[in-house]
Amino acid sequence: MTEKDIFVDYLKQQGLKFTKQREEILNFFLKEEKHLSPEEMFDILRKKRLPLKIGRATVYRTLKLLSECGLAEKVDFGDGLNRKVITLFEHKFAHPHHDHLICLSCGKSFEFSNPEIEKLQENVARGHQFKVAYHRLKIYGYCKKCQSTKK
Amino acid sequence: MTEKDIFVDYLKQQGLKFTKQREEILNFFLKEEKHLSPEEMFDILRKKRLPLKIGRATVYRTLKLLSECGLAEKVDFGDGLNRKVITLFEHKFAHPHHDHLICLSCGKSFEFSNPEIEKLQENVARGHQFKVAYHRLKIYGYCKKCQSTKK
DNA sequence: ATTGATATTGAGATTTAATCTCAATAATAA
DNA sequence: TTATTATTGAGATTAAATCTCAATATCAAT
């Protein structure tokens, strides 16, 4: 069951069509290892001068579909203070859940997962009779590199 | 040391002026117990038909100042998925740090704090040689009320 | 392969929160 | 009172994301 199969199946199941644009965007997303924003993806796909044109709206629409079928995950890497929105898409297929350390200096993010924290979150929610759907934990600060270079 | 003192002192220390608009916005912010967005505050302050006009930019600018001096805290209550930005300002003066449970149905938020989680976060950061500035933990789901009414 | 029903597309308009610009005005210290 | 300098509000601008809609592509059924 490849990522493409998952996408195609999802589309069929929803009565949607597997178009050239959607395939192109899927492939591009899959082979990029860096986290990219929709705007960056749009720019790059445009510069490629493919035989087919890909519009901004199609990029956004397709990323939404990829998220719906579990291949991608939208993550906001803004610093939570300045309303600078930094939306990036991560690979989700065969990538277990994780949270992020986000460097306020270079913007890089570092993944981590901690089952103990997750368990405590469950306890907190239970105490409030709150039914958890998902969570986001972001730790902002300065990465190792930026601590040393920042004289 | 009242909130007003803190604000006035901060302004003086920064070489800024304590204006009627800033005083009005401070007072309004302090007496509101509900979390309000800058736009809501702007609308309400406008409807008040005060002897002085208050512009949108002044509301935003003043909220930034209140955050800088530790009286307010900007929190993004968007669901982290749909890029609906919901920026609200909380009281921070004499309000200890806390995180949030956010209801995806009614939008209400519930505060909690958990020292154990915080401690584990410190451990995670230490493991990455990451210097923590602050963090945000948001647990999204459905509150007690919305679970029962949602048939 | 052809057809027909329907989903998709891209260009450009629109939305929305937030910020910026700038000339007029207000606050402060001397 | 005055001079200096910060502040103000109106409206323009920004930027990410979404929407509109006529033209087009997809795909199942023939």
Side-chain angles (χ1 to χ4, degrees):
Chain A
M1 194 79 166
T2 66
E3 282 100 324
K4 181 173 169 182
D5 293 333
I6 292 173
F7 191 37
V8 172
D9 286 0
Y10 176 74
L11 293 174
K12 185 159 288 174
Q13 170 212 322
Q14 298 288 314
L16 304 176
K17 291 163 180 174
F18 186 60
T19 65
K20 291 186 173 49
Q21 285 88 343
R22 285 174 180 168
E23 183 165 22
E24 190 67 43
I25 293 167
L26 170 68
N27 288 334
F28 178 66
F29 171 71
L30 290 178
K31 76 162 187 292
E32 256 314 312
E33 32 207 304
K34 229 180 53 174
H35 297 159
L36 294 180
S37 70
E39 292 294 323
E40 286 171 325
M41 292 192 202
F42 171 64
D43 289 344
I44 295 173
L45 286 167
R46 261 310 165 78
K47 280 192 199 116
K48 281 189 165 186
R49 295 247 161 249
L50 300 166
L52 77 163
K53 272 203 166 182
I54 294 184
R56 165 179 283 107
T58 300
V59 173
Y60 278 92
R61 287 184 288 227
T62 303
L63 286 170
K64 182 175 273 183
L65 290 171
L66 292 176
S67 300
E68 284 165 13
C69 71
L71 293 176
E73 178 157 297
K74 191 191 244 182
V75 182
D76 175 10
F77 284 100
D79 68 9
L81 293 179
N82 306 302
R83 184 61 28 246
K84 183 79 184 245
V85 173
I86 303 175
T87 298
L88 305 180
F89 280 81
E90 295 191 331
H91 290 199
K92 194 174 178 189
F93 180 66
H95 285 243
H97 167 74
H98 56 262
D99 288 300
H100 296 94
L101 295 152
I102 302 172
C103 181
L104 294 167
S105 176
C106 68
K108 275 215 207 82
S109 68
F110 306 85
E111 305 180 354
F112 72 88
S113 67
N114 186 302
E116 288 185 80
I117 292 180
E118 313 262 319
K119 200 171 294 173
L120 289 167
Q121 286 177 26
E122 285 297 333
N123 292 346
V124 166
R126 199 170 312 116
H128 286 259
Q129 296 176 277
F130 192 87
K131 185 160 177 236
V132 177
Y134 59 96
H135 72 266
R136 293 286 180 272
L137 170 56
K138 290 170 198 158
I139 301 178
Y140 301 92
Y142 300 92
C143 72
K144 189 181 174 184
K145 206 168 185 178
C146 289
Q147 283 173 60
S148 53
T149 55
K150 195 182 58 178
K151 258 265 124 54
Chain B
M1 195 77 167
T2 66
E3 284 100 325
K4 181 173 168 182
D5 292 334
I6 292 173
F7 191 38
V8 171
D9 286 1
Y10 177 74
L11 292 174
K12 185 159 289 173
Q13 169 214 320
Q14 297 288 315
L16 305 176
K17 290 164 182 173
F18 185 60
T19 65
K20 291 186 174 50
Q21 285 87 343
R22 286 175 179 168
E23 182 164 21
E24 190 67 42
I25 293 168
L26 169 68
N27 289 334
F28 178 65
F29 170 71
L30 290 178
K31 77 162 186 292
E32 256 314 313
E33 32 206 303
K34 230 179 50 174
H35 298 158
L36 294 180
S37 70
E39 292 294 324
E40 287 172 324
M41 291 193 203
F42 171 64
D43 289 344
I44 295 173
L45 286 166
R46 261 312 165 76
K47 282 193 198 116
K48 281 190 164 186
R49 295 247 160 250
L50 300 164
L52 77 163
K53 272 203 168 183
I54 294 184
R56 164 178 285 108
T58 300
V59 173
Y60 278 91
R61 288 185 286 228
T62 303
L63 286 170
K64 182 173 273 182
L65 291 170
L66 292 176
S67 300
E68 284 165 15
C69 71
L71 293 176
E73 179 157 295
K74 193 191 244 184
V75 182
D76 176 8
F77 283 100
D79 66 11
L81 294 178
N82 305 301
R83 184 62 28 244
K84 184 77 184 246
V85 174
I86 302 176
T87 299
L88 304 179
F89 280 82
E90 294 190 332
H91 290 198
K92 192 173 179 191
F93 180 65
H95 285 241
H97 167 75
H98 57 262
D99 287 300
H100 296 94
L101 295 153
I102 301 173
C103 182
L104 294 167
S105 175
C106 68
K108 275 213 206 83
S109 68
F110 306 85
E111 304 179 355
F112 73 88
S113 68
N114 186 303
E116 288 184 81
I117 293 180
E118 313 261 319
K119 201 170 293 173
L120 289 167
Q121 287 178 26
E122 285 297 333
N123 292 348
V124 167
R126 200 170 311 117
H128 286 259
Q129 296 177 275
F130 192 87
K131 184 158 179 241
V132 177
Y134 58 95
H135 72 265
R136 294 285 181 271
L137 169 56
K138 290 170 199 159
I139 301 178
Y140 300 92
Y142 300 92
C143 71
K144 189 182 175 186
K145 206 168 183 177
C146 289
Q147 285 173 60
S148 52
T149 55
K150 196 181 54 179
K151 261 262 125 52

